[in-house]
Amino acid sequence: MTIKQELSNLIKEAILKLPLKEQDVPEIIIEKPRHKTHGDFATNAAFLLAKKLRASPYQISNKIVELLPTDSFVLEKVEIAGGGFINLFLTPSRFHQVLPQIEAEDTLFGTSKTKEGRVLVEFVSANPTGPLHIGHGRGAVYGDCLANIMTAVGYQVEREYYINDVGNQMQSLGRSLLIRYKQLQGDNVPLPENAYQGAYLIQLAKTLPAGAEDKGLDFFVQLAKEEILKEIRDDLARLGVKFNRWFSEESLYASGRVDETIRLLKQKSYAYEKDDAWWLASSGFGDDKDRVLVRETNVPTYLAGDIAYHRDKYDRGCDLLIDIWGADHHGYVDRMKAACAALDHNPDSLVILLYQLVNLLRDGKQVNMSTREGEFVTLKEVVDEVGPDAARFFFLMRDHNSHLDFDLELAKRHSTDNPVYYVQYAHARICSILREAAARKIEPLPAKKCQLNLLTVDNELEILTELAALPDDIINCANTFQVHHLTLYLQDLAALFHHYYNHNRIISQDRPLSLARLAMVNSIRIVIRNVLHLLGISAPEKM
RNA sequence: GCGCCCGUAGCUCAGCCGGACAGAGCAACGGCCUUCUAAGCCGUGGGUCGCAGGUUCGAAUCCUGCCGGGCGUGCCA
């Protein structure tokens, strides 16, 4: 049980003795106050009860405090302040308990089994018509990390990439490659404006032997698709982004799942015919207007395929579908949710998370990212320049709803202002201390055998609080889908450690003290490493 | 026009299911290396939380309107 859960239970038991019925007890929120003088934790429970009990928060707080157990090993002191806040001060020994726990759970510390169910995270899903750009990188890392977090709280998680390998774009891609090939053969064929302009097709065309044009357009389509997909897989692998499955849109057509889904919608009368096309009655489910499912040419739209795909995910037994899209697709959210509702699925079981655009900067100045003529900065270029660790950390630093400035020079800098190094350095520093202890023949003891009551100086208890907060923080991330809290958590923890290191000797002549401090520092190491791994970032032992 | 996101210190942002004096990093200025990694630490200054109303015992946080920035608004994918 986490400290917060423990405190929450204590408060709740007291409230029930007020007396109050179970259903009238508000959700007890235990928060960490901004100021130390307000306790290690605090709750505003009395404010929430004031109306119901027709008493002032101050009076209610007094009653609650009277009803708290006096023989608790957790609470050292309880105060009422700020007109009704209950400020809770913990015994040092409660803080110390976290160290043996971290040691015992080791790589699992921070994880919990608080959630259950099958979650499918679909992300990236970029069209295989060109290299991934930096925006895809943000979505990739966000999705990968969110999947890690969902796994860490107990969900059974699958990660998928939906390949849009159907439609005009693939034909256009094949034609573009064919033209590039002909140009290389000396033919003076112009590349149409609507063709794919990127230089990557020239590179690919160069690998083709003479006479390749005899193999027909379809050969070029398939080749371009496969080669580009291979590059995409390589780029994502380089970034440490993992998928369980690459789901081909084409396979949905081949298996008849698209037609079947359209038939089903017709049966339910959620699809109707108008102007020689078939429409989804999505406006009945909150969309602005109805959407075409099957064109007057009798070819299904992208939407039809995507609905079949989502239906497939549900049919495979997933309880929660998470889609991660770039913000430029937000206009698509309502129709997708409408489609799921039309298929009798609870719209809340489809969560669509949008991430905002990435601004690429170099020393504070915007890097030109014109997508015209394919002149964008590719993900590969960025990862090659700053490395996967820095790239991932930077992509994860901000709320996905906020625009992200990605400064290439900052990401490479080896100094305090670069948060990646700041955090990794804390980890390496601790490893170095542990090596030094070994060199001095100081054999570390398990935390429970150390005199942990020696850990009460400076910010030691603050560090322990921070360590203990991790499981709750991860659960919070899973609930809100806000991954960036973990990068902030790491920066806070690293700052606490660096401060501590600069003001206190860990290894000293005082052996019991050294052992206790080594135990604490080792727990910090475990926690930093675990969180970095959740973020998919390495935890170097030397820097 | 309509829809979504953002608007907090010079810069980049956190805080936003309402709560106690609004936080951090960077930048600026000034300190700290014969002792476990100075890729570090300490100190100083810096804010009408875009504007105007409303709800509330209490609003950066909720509601309405406005202003500014970004994105979207295909029988493309």
Side-chain angles (χ1 to χ4, degrees), chain A residues 385-459:
Chain A
E385 182 166 345
V386 308
D389 281 349
R392 288 189 70 112
F393 199 97
F394 272 63
F395 281 133
L396 294 172
M397 269 198 305
R398 304 280 175 244
D399 186 332
H400 61 272
N401 278 324
S402 293
H403 291 253
L404 171 67
D405 283 334
F406 191 123
D407 194 313
L408 288 164
E409 295 305 323
L410 177 59
K412 283 192 293 184
R413 214 168 291 157
H414 290 197
S415 59
T416 325
D417 47 348
N418 185 348
V420 197
Y421 287 93
Y422 185 75
V423 171
Q424 288 183 322
Y425 182 57
H427 183 267
R429 214 177 206 185
I430 293 170
C431 291
S432 169
I433 295 166
L434 297 175
R435 283 192 297 270
E436 178 67 21
R440 296 193 199 178
K441 305 274 188 268
I442 300 174
E443 197 66 34
L445 277 180
K448 59 183 169 192
K449 293 196 177 163
C450 294
Q451 297 179 33
L452 297 178
N453 57 341
L454 298 173
L455 300 175
T456 50
V457 302
D458 199 24
N459 64 346

Side-chain angles (χ1 to χ4, degrees), chain A residues 77-97:
Chain A
K77 180 171 71 163
V78 180
E79 287 178 351
I80 298 165
F85 283 97
I86 302 174
N87 295 336
L88 307 162
F89 296 80
L90 267 57
T91 58
S93 68
R94 181 60 189 89
F95 286 112
H96 297 146
Q97 279 170 28

Side-chain angles (χ1 to χ4, degrees), chain A residues 247-260:
Chain A
F247 196 106
S248 155
E249 182 182 9
E250 203 173 22
S251 72
L252 283 169
Y253 282 90
S255 65
R257 292 287 279 169
V258 179
D259 287 341
E260 190 185 299

Side-chain angles (χ1 to χ4, degrees), chain A residues 334-355:
Chain A
D334 285 346
R335 74 192 72 167
M336 200 63 237
K337 290 208 144 216
C340 287
L343 292 170
D344 296 326
H345 292 289
N346 178 354
D348 292 339
S349 66
L350 172 64
V351 174
I352 298 173
L353 300 168
L354 304 174
Y355 59 88

Side-chain angles (χ1 to χ4, degrees), chain A residues 401-542:
Chain A
N401 278 324
S402 293
H403 291 253
L404 171 67
D405 283 334
F406 191 123
D407 194 313
L408 288 164
E409 295 305 323
L410 177 59
K412 283 192 293 184
R413 214 168 291 157
H414 290 197
S415 59
T416 325
D417 47 348
N418 185 348
V420 197
Y421 287 93
Y422 185 75
V423 171
Q424 288 183 322
Y425 182 57
H427 183 267
R429 214 177 206 185
I430 293 170
C431 291
S432 169
I433 295 166
L434 297 175
R435 283 192 297 270
E436 178 67 21
R440 296 193 199 178
K441 305 274 188 268
I442 300 174
E443 197 66 34
L445 277 180
K448 59 183 169 192
K449 293 196 177 163
C450 294
Q451 297 179 33
L452 297 178
N453 57 341
L454 298 173
L455 300 175
T456 50
V457 302
D458 199 24
N459 64 346
E460 280 167 338
L461 295 183
E462 207 181 333
I463 290 174
L464 296 173
T465 314
E466 191 75 1
L467 295 176
L470 182 65
D472 282 322
D473 283 2
I474 293 176
I475 292 166
N476 188 41
C477 287
N479 286 335
T480 60
F481 311 113
Q482 286 180 312
V483 170
H484 70 286
H485 287 142
L486 289 183
T487 62
L488 296 167
Y489 175 86
L490 281 177
Q491 292 179 80
D492 287 346
L493 181 57
L496 288 171
F497 166 72
H498 286 309
H499 168 94
Y500 181 70
Y501 173 89
N502 273 276
H503 293 82
N504 302 281
R505 294 231 19 118
I506 288 139
I507 304 168
S508 64
Q509 296 305 315
D510 184 339
R511 201 168 183 88
L513 182 66
S514 299
L515 288 170
R517 288 183 170 178
L518 282 168
M520 183 182 77
V521 157
N522 186 48
S523 282
I524 300 174
R525 177 188 65 81
I526 290 171
V527 168
I528 292 178
R529 181 202 61 198
N530 288 2
V531 178
L532 281 172
H533 283 178
L534 264 185
L535 303 182
I537 296 170
S538 70
E541 296 184 2
K542 279 183 185 172

